[in-house]
């Protein structure tokens, strides 16, 4: 199984300039356009909204599928599978994995393995999605649509790779998005038949509740790799370029407090103060009260002392 660590660049291999002209990427990191047909197709399908029109029911489905699946990325793929910031049962672990996989960003093992690599090499020459190293475009989406990083480095995530059901989700990651798309279409068809006053139908629901929702999920999630390492404020002097960004935090249910996270990655909560909105934390806190998750890790008190010292020094 190939590792995720990129070898040092040589002067002999071909390289081409990143479209936003910040850094160079290797020749084997060029976009795989043929292999990205499904990814591109999801984006193009959004334009079908001009044909289907819109309804409040469709907008409601968009918001619902966006929020639930964004939590699947932030609360499950990131805070659980990547960092193990809380514990849960095996059956609920699979539920979390299914929800995250329905966001069409591959499976939990692939996602978490890449993210663990990112924290080991954040913004250094081996970080495969650093805007500092290879440019904004490659950081945001270029690394996703090249062949080089499509395989899962199982050795980076042995703690979860031991579960056959998670391996199944990872190997057949297309199943949850397809199930979701069919379900959204079916709901729309039922509403057209039994609640025609809502002005929706299966095709409209599919476009808004799946294609547009998925496209928004892609780019707000990818924005943590790109935007959150370029724009925002730095509370802590970390070794990378991570930044806190409040509007990214709103749209990603709390992931925008990225500098906080890189300074203390073992904390489930990423917004440190009440005014740093962290919806994923609120959801996980609710799940803990219901007994579905436990041993939720939070920032140690000394971190708040350090933050206050940094604020006074500034």
């Amino acid at each position: 199984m190939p590792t995720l660590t990129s070898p040092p660049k040589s002067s002999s291999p071909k390289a081409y300039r990143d479209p936003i002209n910040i850094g160079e990427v290797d020749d084997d990191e060029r976009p795989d356009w043929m292999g990205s047909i499904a990814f591109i197709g999801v984006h193009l399908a959004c334009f079908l909204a001009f044909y289907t029109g819109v309804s409040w029911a469709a907008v409601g489905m968009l918001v619902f599928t966006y929020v639930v699946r964004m939590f699947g990325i932030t609360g499950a793929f990131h805070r659980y599978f990547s960092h193990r910031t809380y514990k849960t049962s095996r059956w609920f672990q699979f539920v979390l994995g299914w929800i995250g996989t329905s966001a069409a960003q591959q499976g939990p093992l692939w996602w978490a393995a890449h993210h663990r690599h990112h924290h080991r090499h954040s913004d250094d020459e081996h970080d495969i999605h650093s805007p500092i190293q290879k440019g904004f475009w490659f950081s945001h989406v270029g690394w996703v649509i090249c062949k080089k990083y499509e395989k899962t480095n199982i050795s980076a995530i042995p703690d979860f790779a031991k579960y056959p059901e998670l391996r199944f989700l990872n190997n057949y990651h297309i199943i949850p998005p397809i199930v979701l798309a069919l379900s959204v279409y079916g709901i729309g068809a039922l509403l057209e038949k039994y609640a025609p006053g809502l002005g929706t139908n299966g095709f409209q629901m599919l476009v808004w509740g799946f294609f547009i929702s998925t496209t928004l999920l892609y780019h707000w999630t990818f924005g943590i790799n790109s935007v959150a390492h370029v724009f925002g404020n730095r509370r802590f002097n970390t070794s990378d370029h991570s930044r806190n960004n409040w509007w990214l935090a709103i749209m990603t249910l709390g992931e925008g407090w990225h500098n906080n996270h890189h300074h203390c990655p073992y904390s489930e909560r990423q917004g440190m103060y009440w005014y740093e909105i962290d919806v994923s934390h609120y959801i996980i806190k609710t799940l803990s009260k219901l007994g579905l998750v436990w041993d939720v890790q939070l920032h140690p008190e000394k971190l708040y002392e350090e933050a206050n010292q940094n604020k006074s020094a500034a």
Side-chain angles (χ1 to χ4, degrees):
M1 185 66 64
T3 63
L4 297 178
T5 304
S6 304
K9 291 185 179 179
S10 166
S11 57
S12 56
K14 297 179 182 178
Y16 76 103
R17 180 62 62 176
D18 181 278
I20 296 189
N21 203 32
I22 299 177
E24 285 188 343
V25 297
D26 296 333
D27 192 57
D28 59 355
E29 294 174 328
R30 289 178 179 272
D32 175 23
W33 298 117
M34 289 301 296
S36 304
I37 288 176
F39 178 79
I40 297 167
V42 169
H43 289 73
L44 295 178
C46 295
F47 291 101
L48 292 172
F50 291 107
Y51 170 76
T52 66
V54 65
S55 65
W56 284 113
V59 172
M61 183 61 77
L62 182 155
V63 173
F64 177 75
T65 57
Y66 177 89
V67 171
V68 171
R69 293 191 293 164
M70 181 60 82
F71 176 75
I73 295 295
T74 64
F77 277 17
H78 188 202
R79 304 186 195 198
Y80 180 69
F81 289 107
S82 298
H83 294 291
R84 305 196 67 161
T85 60
Y86 59 91
K87 296 178 181 177
T88 189
S89 61
R90 184 167 175 175
W91 75 267
F92 196 65
Q93 171 182 277
F94 180 77
V95 170
L96 291 172
W98 182 280
I99 294 171
T101 306
S102 72
Q105 296 182 25
Q106 296 212 42
L109 305 182
W110 179 90
W111 204 103
H114 275 289
H115 190 74
R116 290 180 179 185
H117 180 272
H118 166 66
H119 272 268
R120 287 196 300 271
H121 299 283
S122 186
D123 285 330
D124 73 15
E125 66 272 19
H126 301 301
D127 189 350
I128 64 175
H129 50 64
S130 168
I132 309 304
Q133 296 294 331
K134 297 193 175 184
F136 194 91
W137 157 263
F138 193 81
S139 167
H140 188 76
V141 72
W143 75 279
V144 176
I145 60 174
C146 76
K147 269 190 170 182
K148 186 174 183 178
Y149 305 113
E150 67 182 6
K151 295 188 181 298
T152 302
N153 180 14
I154 294 297
S155 65
I157 188 163
D159 45 340
F160 289 113
K162 66 183 180 182
Y163 296 106
E165 64 272 25
L166 294 182
R167 281 181 175 259
F168 174 83
L169 265 183
N170 201 69
N171 292 336
Y172 301 97
H173 54 82
I174 193 62
I175 295 176
I178 290 177
V179 170
L180 176 65
L182 293 174
S183 300
V184 168
Y185 181 90
I187 291 171
L190 288 173
L191 289 176
E192 181 183 22
K193 182 176 181 179
Y194 295 107
L198 292 177
T200 191
N201 56 60
F203 193 40
Q204 184 189 76
M205 279 290 197
L206 178 65
V207 170
W208 287 89
F210 182 76
F211 291 119
I212 295 178
S213 173
T214 301
T215 300
L216 291 173
L217 278 168
Y218 283 150
H219 294 288
W220 284 111
T221 303
F222 300 165
I224 300 300
N225 296 334
S226 54
V227 178
H229 281 254
V230 177
F231 302 106
N233 301 314
R234 288 173 55 78
R235 172 176 286 135
F236 300 104
N237 185 25
T238 57
S239 59
D240 52 42
H241 293 260
S242 58
R243 297 170 183 273
N244 289 334
N245 189 304
W246 68 268
W247 49 270
L248 268 179
I250 296 294
M251 296 305 299
T252 59
L253 308 188
E255 299 296 291
W257 309 116
H258 203 52
N259 181 246
N260 294 351
H261 170 62
H262 268 265
H263 192 58
C264 187
Y266 51 83
S267 172
E268 174 276 315
R269 185 178 183 183
Q270 296 190 14
M272 290 181 60
Y273 300 96
W274 66 267
Y275 53 84
E276 293 183 344
I277 297 173
D278 187 349
V279 175
S280 289
H281 169 65
Y282 310 149
I283 295 173
I284 291 169
K285 189 175 180 180
T286 301
L287 293 175
S288 71
K289 291 183 181 296
L290 295 173
L292 293 171
V293 307
W294 53 88
D295 291 349
V296 179
Q297 304 299 306
L298 301 176
H299 299 107
E301 191 60 36
K302 64 179 182 181
L303 207 71
Y304 289 91
E305 296 173 3
E306 182 182 350
N308 291 332
Q309 290 173 359
N310 291 345
K311 185 177 180 180
S312 298

